[in-house]
Amino acid sequence: MTNIFENIICVKQKIAHAAEQVQRETAQIQLLAVSKTKPVALIKQAYQAGLRQFGENYVQEGFEKIQQIQRDSDFDEPIYWYFIGPLQSNKTRLVAENFDWVQSVDRFKIAQRLNDQRPIELPKLNICLQVNISGEQSKSGTTLSQVIELASQVNSLPRLKLRGIMAIPEKTENIDLLENQFKALHNIYKKLQQCYPDIDTLSMGMSGDLQSAIRCGSTMVRIGSDIFGSRN
Ligand SMILES: *Cc1c(COP(=O)(O)O)cnc(C)c1O
């Protein structure tokens, strides 16, 4: 049995500890609970423990959970939903209509569709560009050389708000290699901030590497298994 309350306390302690090591304020690092594959009952426990930001990877699954939670009166405070998975262009509408953020935008076509499909009565859709930092062919994400151009394209779309970048680094046991990737992302983030002062989100760090990510400047860690238990 996973104890979600204890897990969240433990994750928050890890965040605080990593922040302290580099003299950062814990308040500068947001915790996104990644609830993919996990039932609404567990999301409810995380909500009762105080979390309000949830990440989903699959369009249909995320949509169904959002609908279910909107009907459930136990969730009386607003929840912010983040789409963080690969997004195909034929699935953008449900995302544009139901999520608050998309952190996995890696090409202009997707951004354009999200912009066109974002309902006018909703606030702008918050966007992070996903960067493929390791250059692995199998990974989604825009390349380092393209990220500046994609940022300027996304910034020109009126129904989107460019908030920053997201990345999943190459899996490695080598801490130096890992932190070099995180540092390179931090550099791009700083460069983008010079052009777009409203950018405030460097989304990097998951259950296995949140300490390194925070040491290298992450402003949002995306934590799944350390909160909800391992996935099948
Ligand atoms: C699944 C997932 C996570 C969470 O991973 P854990 O290792 O379970 O913490 C974070 N970000 C993305 C993009 C994911 O797909």
Side-chain angles (χ1 to χ4, degrees):
M1 199 29 223
T2 5
N3 187 328
I4 289 188
F5 277 78
E6 279 174 19
N7 288 351
I8 290 171
I9 290 171
C10 188
V11 166
K12 285 186 169 171
Q13 279 170 349
K14 275 192 196 170
I15 293 172
H17 182 69
E20 200 178 310
Q21 285 183 329
V22 288
Q23 275 97 48
R24 296 185 61 202
E25 300 276 347
T26 306
Q28 293 172 357
I29 299 135
Q30 299 195 54
L31 172 56
L32 177 65
V34 178
S35 46
K36 64 180 176 213
T37 79
K38 300 295 180 181
V40 165
L42 294 189
I43 297 178
K44 193 179 285 193
Q45 289 181 31
Y47 174 89
Q48 283 160 348
L51 300 190
R52 295 291 180 270
Q53 293 165 295
F54 293 92
E56 289 285 339
N57 281 58
Y58 310 103
V59 176
Q60 192 61 33
E61 178 194 337
F63 170 65
E64 283 167 19
K65 288 183 196 170
I66 292 169
Q67 295 277 302
Q68 212 177 323
I69 284 171
Q70 276 170 353
R71 288 193 296 264
D72 186 331
S73 58
D74 286 350
F75 295 87
D76 50 350
E77 283 180 30
I79 291 182
Y80 298 93
W81 291 100
Y82 290 66
F83 189 79
I84 60 173
L87 185 52
Q88 270 128 31
S89 54
N90 61 348
K91 300 269 179 64
T92 50
R93 181 174 294 278
L94 274 185
V95 174
E97 290 178 350
N98 291 279
F99 283 80
D100 303 287
W101 285 69
V102 182
Q103 292 204 335
S104 46
V105 169
D106 63 356
R107 55 196 190 276
F108 185 55
K109 183 181 175 197
I110 295 290
Q112 222 168 8
R113 290 179 66 89
L114 290 169
N115 177 74
D116 296 348
Q117 294 167 342
R118 181 66 170 173
I120 203 75
E121 67 277 10
L122 293 182
K124 291 182 182 188
L125 184 61
N126 296 293
I127 301 291
C128 286
L129 307 179
Q130 183 172 354
V131 180
N132 179 353
I133 185 67
S134 60
E136 291 166 285
Q137 289 282 317
S138 59
K139 283 257 170 78
S140 26
T142 177
T143 61
L144 275 184
S145 56
Q146 288 165 346
V147 65
I148 300 287
E149 191 188 349
L150 183 58
S152 100
Q153 292 172 327
V154 168
N155 190 59
S156 73
L157 295 171
R159 300 295 296 139
L160 304 185
K161 186 164 173 56
L162 182 62
R163 297 293 295 270
I165 57 175
M166 182 274 264
I168 308 167
E170 185 180 1
K171 236 185 153 61
T172 169
E173 300 295 314
N174 182 329
I175 297 279
D176 289 337
L177 260 180
L178 179 68
E179 295 197 354
N180 281 342
Q181 295 181 66
F182 284 142
K183 283 175 196 160
L185 290 161
H186 186 248
N187 284 339
I188 307 167
Y189 172 68
K190 286 283 168 200
K191 200 181 271 181
L192 286 172
Q193 260 184 339
Q194 285 168 7
C195 308
Y196 312 104
D198 288 345
I199 283 184
D200 58 3
T201 304
L202 177 54
S203 172
M204 59 184 197
M206 320 201 314
S207 296
D209 57 17
L210 86 164
Q211 280 118 328
S212 284
I214 290 169
R215 277 199 296 274
C216 299
S218 169
T219 71
M220 180 177 286
V221 291
R222 309 178 308 271
I223 308 298
S225 38
D226 275 2
I227 292 177
F228 295 108
S230 57
R231 292 175 299 272
N232 297 328

